[in-house]
Amino acid sequence: MAVKTYEFQAEARQLLNLVINSIYSNKEIFLRELLSNASDAMDKLRLEALQNSELKADLSDLHITIERDEKEHTLKVIDNGIGMNAEELQNLIGTIARSGTAEFLQKASDDKSKAAELIGQFGVGFYSVFMVAKKAVIETRKIDETEGHRWESVGDGSYTIEDAGELPQGTAITLYLKDVDEENEIADYTREWVIRDLVKKYSDFISYPIKMMVTKIESAPAEKEGDEPKTIEKEELETLNSMKALWARPESEVDPKEYNEFYKHISYDWQDPMKVITMKGEGTFEFQSLLFIPAKAPYDMYMPESKRGVQLYVKRVFIMDDCEELVPPYLRFLRGVVDSSDLSLNISREILQKNRQIKAINKSIVRKVLGTLKTMLEEKPEEYRKFWAEFGKVLKEGLYNDASQREKILDVMLATSTHSEELTTLKDYISRMKEGQEEIYYLTGENMAHVQKAPQLEAFRAKGIEVLLFSDPIDTVWVEMVSDYQGKKFKSIVRGDVELGSEDEKKEAKEKLDQERKDMAAMLGWMGTNLDKKVKEVRVSNRLTNSPACIISDEHDPNPAMEKILRSMGQAMPDFKRILEINPEHQVIKRLHELYSEKGDDEELRSMVELIYDQAVLAEGGELSDPSAFAAALSKVMSKALG
């Protein structure tokens, strides 16, 4: 066969230019493409040998060889796979020549992510070599043919094919490299360490050995006594990739130490992981996954630029780090690998956001991880408590941003409680609910020390009714969005009215409250007038036993912490006045009532009302609007008492 030149059509030239200059953002991935193609060629040879018993194929030593020539500035990738004939060279490598269309070019020009999605359909991954090479030569022989062929192109829109006589089985691709150009991210791909790093990064788990001649420095004995030992440089063929894809091996065949070492390798963590999670997805979409829960929270877990830590592979070929689409934000503590058999090597982050398979993998991972956590909670509660201490705050984010998994997250949520020294589950809380209790009572705040001493808890403690206590910032958000758990409504103890006890106790408490409201009606109105800029109402309380007063929110108003968060985000909010509840049984309130009955509106009594309000604000951990006025009023009262 004489040398034949094939001209690309004008559209195809544009497409080639797009591939070289626009589709790939990282030039070094050309080697990943070549090694992946070589691996595929050997897979095809093995499959062909199984289907054709008459095929004379040597399967004894399938491997990939990388040859570097620093002097000639060339790089060669050789495989002993199935090889190609002249027609396949034109159809497979030259797919770009016959598949370029104006429609594709229009889509590719308008939307680079769409171009990356379609590029795999055009078989042009090979053309990424022209990002780093000024010429590419392919020498190949199909396994069942005696003569080989030579393909050559400088990436200018044309290529040649010619006979090459006797060639070894497989394919050899020689790249005549462009000059090193740091500004355009073109490294010296003839350097041993550069190739070694790229193979480790992108192709470490390819199942065939990737070999390269490397330089070894050895010490030689001195020629005579007293001389310094000599060093000798030796060339040695070395396998660069580990070929150990742990996620592809049955868990029973893997030593736990191997999992630990692999985790440390991908996470840069010095500790062993807390938990190893293996999974395999079959059916419409096939994938394998090896995930780890770290022993300690990553330092950047709450930083905006924090990484998710799950790597994406396609057929054991590395695609990208921290693939955000594989796990939701509330599982961002996970580290590990997901390997899909169905995705394209050229998949981009933009495509991942819309990809059905990625979404299916994401759902499978979420189900598996939450199921694993539930099992850990039930079977190894102490281990789970360690997990919750590290990652509970993050996991609770899923309560407001993943409604589909809300119940499962609530299943494994732990909370501080007024009835348990240890953190409790919602399931255990429900099991301890009083007869007739239909609501899960909770209290939120910015500081656990303040929450545990909140005056609003007094009546609940007096009646032995359990309250869940929350102080993480995220708690303020999710409690506003989660209505119930296992049919039991969540109820804030600082919002709206509360009715505690049996029906008889509720009736008795209501009658007593109504009477106290009548008795103190005049004073309540007077206090409300004096505090009208701060509260919407002053009323008697049935939730206090020891404190003189507390502050609560109206039933449908946001809690103060949530209001504070929304304001910090720049959201316009109306002013929500809260309600001051007073304890009619407290000595301070009784004495205030007596004095008001005697004096009516009085300056000293007005100061006392301000103190009662400020005290209630401080009791719940709030901030005073005028601390100096509070200090002055308190000093005045103390002086009078001591005088």
Side-chain angles (χ1 to χ4, degrees):
M1 177 182 178
V3 178
K4 288 188 177 182
T5 300
Y6 298 85
E7 290 289 336
F8 293 141
Q9 299 171 357
E11 291 173 352
R13 289 179 183 174
Q14 295 176 45
L15 184 55
L16 178 58
N17 182 67
L18 186 67
V19 172
I20 296 171
N21 298 308
S22 301
I23 299 300
Y24 297 99
S25 59
N26 189 357
K27 292 180 173 61
E28 67 185 21
I29 59 91
F30 81 92
L31 187 59
R32 180 195 75 182
E33 298 287 334
L34 294 185
L35 295 175
S36 178
N37 289 346
S39 177
D40 287 345
M42 289 182 283
D43 285 340
K44 290 176 182 177
L45 177 60
R46 295 176 69 172
L47 180 61
E48 186 71 18
L50 287 172
Q51 296 174 342
N52 184 359
S53 59
E54 297 181 1
L55 187 68
K56 296 179 180 179
D58 182 7
L59 306 178
S60 61
D61 184 26
L62 296 178
H63 65 276
I64 303 168
T65 303
I66 299 176
E67 294 182 359
R68 303 170 295 108
D69 191 325
E70 295 186 25
K71 184 177 180 181
E72 297 296 328
H73 204 53
T74 61
L75 183 71
K76 183 180 286 189
V77 176
I78 307 165
D79 71 72
N80 53 353
I82 196 166
M84 292 175 282
N85 57 29
E87 182 181 0
E88 288 168 335
L89 269 174
Q90 188 173 355
N91 291 339
L92 297 177
I93 301 299
T95 302
I96 191 171
R98 62 185 180 85
S99 298
T101 65
E103 180 184 2
F104 175 80
L105 280 170
Q106 183 62 47
K107 291 179 179 178
S109 299
D110 294 343
D111 186 348
K112 294 297 188 294
S113 66
K114 187 64 176 177
E117 180 179 9
L118 296 176
I119 211 73
Q121 301 173 16
F122 286 77
V124 295
F126 164 77
Y127 284 88
S128 62
V129 300
F130 289 110
M131 295 187 295
V132 300
K134 52 193 176 185
K135 183 172 75 172
V137 175
I138 302 174
E139 294 177 307
T140 182
R141 177 176 67 83
K142 187 74 177 287
I143 185 62
D144 53 355
E145 297 189 2
T146 57
E147 298 293 317
H149 298 86
R150 189 174 191 271
W151 180 100
E152 182 176 325
S153 177
V154 294
D156 63 350
S158 67
Y159 60 92
T160 63
I161 297 179
E162 64 178 307
D163 292 335
E166 293 186 9
L167 290 175
Q169 162 190 323
T171 300
I173 299 174
T174 304
L175 304 182
Y176 293 81
L177 297 166
K178 295 178 181 179
D179 294 336
V180 176
D181 186 346
E182 293 184 3
E183 184 177 345
N184 290 310
E185 299 181 352
I186 299 178
D188 186 351
Y189 296 108
T190 65
R191 300 293 296 274
E192 178 184 316
W193 69 268
V194 173
I195 299 301
R196 187 190 295 275
D197 286 352
L198 291 182
V199 171
K200 191 72 176 176
K201 179 178 180 180
Y202 291 110
S203 307
D204 193 47
F205 304 116
I206 282 180
S207 55
Y208 301 100
I210 302 171
K211 301 181 179 182
M212 183 174 73
M213 197 67 72
V214 300
T215 301
K216 297 283 188 179
I217 299 178
E218 297 181 354
S219 296
E223 293 183 357
K224 58 183 180 180
E225 189 175 349
D227 288 351
E228 292 290 329
K230 293 185 176 181
T231 57
I232 300 175
E233 291 187 357
K234 281 183 66 176
E235 295 291 315
E236 181 179 305
L237 196 63
E238 182 181 280
T239 299
L240 304 181
N241 59 323
S242 69
M243 297 175 286
K244 293 182 178 179
L246 289 185
W247 58 85
R249 293 164 56 188
E251 191 172 359
S252 59
E253 297 179 7
V254 180
D255 189 310
K257 292 182 180 178
E258 292 183 87
Y259 283 137
N260 292 343
E261 289 305 313
F262 180 72
Y263 165 74
K264 293 173 184 177
H265 168 70
I266 64 171
S267 68
Y268 304 104
D269 191 355
W270 60 273
Q271 298 184 86
D272 291 340
M274 180 185 297
K275 193 72 176 177
V276 179
I277 303 173
T278 61
M279 60 183 300
K280 186 175 183 179
E282 297 178 336
T284 307
F285 302 121
E286 294 188 1
F287 72 94
Q288 294 171 312
S289 180
L290 175 58
L291 302 172
F292 302 92
I293 298 176
K296 293 290 182 181
Y299 73 93
D300 62 348
M301 192 164 66
Y302 296 102
M303 297 180 183
E305 66 276 10
S306 66
K307 305 298 183 183
R308 301 282 172 89
V310 176
Q311 300 175 344
L312 175 63
Y313 281 72
V314 173
K315 298 177 183 177
R316 300 192 185 184
V317 175
F318 174 79
I319 301 300
M320 67 181 70
D321 266 321
D322 57 279
C323 185
E324 295 181 1
E325 292 73 19
L326 287 172
V327 294
Y330 63 90
L331 295 182
R332 61 182 177 274
F333 53 82
L334 290 173
R335 297 292 180 263
V337 167
V338 171
D339 188 0
S340 170
S341 302
D342 303 317
L343 293 172
S344 164
L345 284 174
N346 304 304
I347 198 161
S348 69
R349 291 192 183 275
E350 291 81 6
I351 301 164
L352 287 173
Q353 294 172 1
K354 306 171 186 176
N355 187 276
R356 287 177 56 244
Q357 182 181 0
I358 290 293
K359 290 180 179 179
I361 293 173
N362 180 297
K363 289 181 180 179
S364 296
I365 288 175
V366 171
R367 286 195 299 268
K368 178 69 174 181
V369 172
L370 293 180
T372 299
L373 293 178
K374 187 174 183 180
T375 300
M376 192 192 311
L377 173 61
E378 294 170 348
E379 298 180 359
K380 298 181 178 179
E382 291 306 313
E383 182 182 24
Y384 185 79
R385 291 180 191 282
K386 292 178 182 178
F387 161 82
W388 187 259
E390 296 294 328
F391 306 110
K393 294 179 184 178
V394 176
L395 189 63
K396 284 190 285 188
E397 292 176 13
L399 292 173
Y400 71 85
N401 63 25
D402 191 354
S404 66
Q405 300 299 327
R406 189 170 287 164
E407 192 80 4
K408 292 181 180 178
I409 298 173
L410 290 172
D411 283 342
V412 296
M413 189 182 76
L414 297 182
T416 302
S417 163
T418 56
H419 273 43
S420 175
E421 292 183 3
E422 292 186 333
L423 297 177
T424 187
T425 65
L426 292 177
K427 180 181 177 182
D428 287 342
Y429 175 96
I430 290 174
S431 71
R432 295 190 294 264
M433 286 172 63
K434 294 287 186 180
E435 184 178 351
Q437 182 181 341
E438 294 298 325
E439 295 171 314
I440 299 173
Y441 292 110
Y442 71 88
L443 174 62
T444 61
E446 297 181 14
N447 181 295
M448 184 55 72
H450 286 136
V451 172
Q452 290 175 324
K453 297 176 182 178
Q456 294 91 337
L457 288 168
E458 292 171 0
F460 290 85
R461 284 199 168 107
K463 291 187 176 295
I465 297 174
E466 186 172 5
V467 179
L468 299 178
L469 308 176
F470 298 114
S471 62
D472 293 333
I474 194 65
D475 295 324
T476 302
V477 181
W478 75 258
V479 293
E480 297 292 317
M481 305 180 71
V482 179
S483 60
D484 66 280
Y485 175 71
Q486 292 188 0
K488 303 294 183 181
K489 297 285 185 181
F490 284 98
K491 169 69 175 176
S492 170
I493 69 167
V494 295
R495 183 180 288 164
D497 295 320
V498 293
E499 295 182 340
L500 306 178
S502 65
E503 290 302 318
D504 288 341
E505 288 173 327
K506 290 177 183 178
K507 182 179 179 182
E508 182 181 344
K510 184 178 183 303
E511 291 174 353
K512 182 180 179 183
L513 201 64
D514 287 343
Q515 185 60 48
E516 290 168 336
R517 189 180 295 119
K518 291 178 182 178
D519 294 342
M520 293 187 172
M523 187 184 75
L524 292 172
W526 168 73
M527 291 179 70
T529 300
N530 281 278
L531 296 172
D532 65 337
K533 293 182 179 180
K534 298 179 179 179
V535 301
K536 66 168 60 176
E537 181 187 357
V538 179
R539 67 191 188 192
V540 292
S541 176
N542 64 349
R543 69 186 90 212
L544 296 172
T545 58
N546 302 319
S547 300
C550 70
I551 296 178
I552 67 163
S553 297
D554 217 348
E555 185 70 46
H556 302 293
D557 288 350
N559 64 54
M562 186 65 181
E563 187 179 348
K564 187 176 180 181
I565 290 173
L566 294 174
R567 290 187 191 281
S568 69
M569 296 169 62
Q571 186 167 329
M573 296 283 293
D575 289 328
F576 291 98
K577 292 182 180 179
R578 301 180 71 198
I579 297 169
L580 178 67
E581 288 194 347
I582 60 173
N583 179 4
E585 301 297 324
H586 196 277
Q587 282 302 114
V588 169
I589 302 301
K590 285 183 176 180
R591 182 58 180 158
L592 178 65
H593 187 222
E594 290 173 2
L595 292 173
Y596 174 74
S597 299
E598 294 174 8
K599 300 180 179 181
D601 187 31
D602 180 82
E603 184 179 349
E604 287 188 357
L605 295 184
R606 287 198 298 271
S607 295
M608 183 64 69
V609 170
E610 291 285 348
L611 280 175
I612 291 171
Y613 170 79
D614 287 346
Q615 183 186 24
V617 171
L618 292 174
E620 70 168 7
E623 297 178 0
L624 299 180
S625 59
D626 191 350
S628 60
F630 171 76
L634 183 61
S635 296
K636 194 173 182 180
V637 170
M638 291 172 64
S639 297
K640 185 175 181 180
L642 293 172

